[in-house]
Amino acid sequence: MSSINHRLRGATLALTAALVGVGMAGAAPALASTATVASTSTPALVPADFVDAPVRALPAAGQSHTFTVTYRNNSSTDQVVAPQILVESPDTGPYLAPADILVERRNAAGQREIVPVASQTGTLFTDLVAAQQTLRPGETLTERYRVTVITRGAAGTVQPRVALYG
C-alpha cells in the first residue's frame, strides 16, 4: 500500500470515528473551524464502503477543476449515500490547509454553493454527515463540484468518492 493510500485510509478512519462520536454526542467537532457537521439526536451512520472516482492532480493557483460525482443505486432497497471530496497533500508536505482551496457544489437551481472543508492528517475533506441522502432503487446521485486553488504553490490530488452506508 502506498504511503498516500495509507495516510488516506488513516484519515478516513479518524474522520469516521470523529463523526460518529460527534453524532452520538450531538455536538460540533473540533476538527477545524471551517467544518460544519449536522447535530442530530440519533447516532451518525458509519460508512460501510466507498466508491472512489479517478484521482486527479490539484490545478495550479487560480485554476479550477470541475467534475461530476455519480452513483446509481442498483439494489432493490433504499441506500444511504454521501458524496465526498478529498484533497490529499503531498507525502513530503507542505500539508494543505482549508484556506488553500475553495470547493463549490452546483445546487438544483444551477447556482454554486460553497462546501465547507475540514482538515485531518494532511487530507482536506468535505463533510459526510451533511451530504447524506437516501437513494431509492434505481435512482442516481449526480453532484457537480468545482475545486479552485487559492494559494500559490499548493499541490496535491483531488479524490471524489461516494460513501455507502448499511
Side-chain angles (χ1 to χ4, degrees):
M1 180 181 286
S2 75
S3 61
I4 289 175
N5 285 339
H6 180 69
R7 210 167 75 220
L8 186 57
R9 297 271 183 232
T12 298
L13 292 173
L15 173 60
T16 301
L19 289 176
V20 169
V22 166
M24 289 179 177
L31 294 177
S33 61
T34 58
T36 303
V37 176
S39 176
T40 63
S41 60
T42 60
L45 298 173
V46 177
D49 200 4
F50 290 93
V51 177
D52 294 330
V55 175
R56 297 177 95 181
L58 198 60
Q63 301 293 310
S64 296
H65 169 63
T66 58
F67 49 91
T68 302
V69 175
T70 305
Y71 178 79
R72 181 173 173 82
N73 179 4
N74 289 322
S75 74
S76 60
T77 61
D78 289 356
Q79 184 173 32
V80 177
V81 301
Q84 184 178 49
I85 307 305
L86 301 176
V87 180
E88 181 73 17
S89 296
D91 278 341
T92 58
Y95 291 145
L96 295 166
D100 292 333
I101 64 168
L102 173 66
V103 177
E104 299 166 291
R105 183 184 67 84
R106 193 170 296 274
N107 65 20
Q111 300 169 329
R112 287 195 169 97
E113 298 174 335
I114 294 174
V115 180
V117 178
S119 176
Q120 182 152 1
T121 320
T123 301
L124 303 180
F125 56 88
T126 58
D127 181 26
L128 284 172
V129 175
Q132 286 179 4
Q133 42 192 296
T134 301
L135 295 179
R136 306 253 182 262
E139 284 185 335
T140 301
L141 163 78
T142 303
E143 297 284 349
R144 290 170 180 81
Y145 291 91
R146 178 170 73 178
V147 173
T148 304
V149 176
I150 307 299
T151 304
R152 184 181 184 99
T157 57
V158 178
Q159 167 86 58
R161 67 185 189 168
V162 176
L164 307 176
Y165 297 84

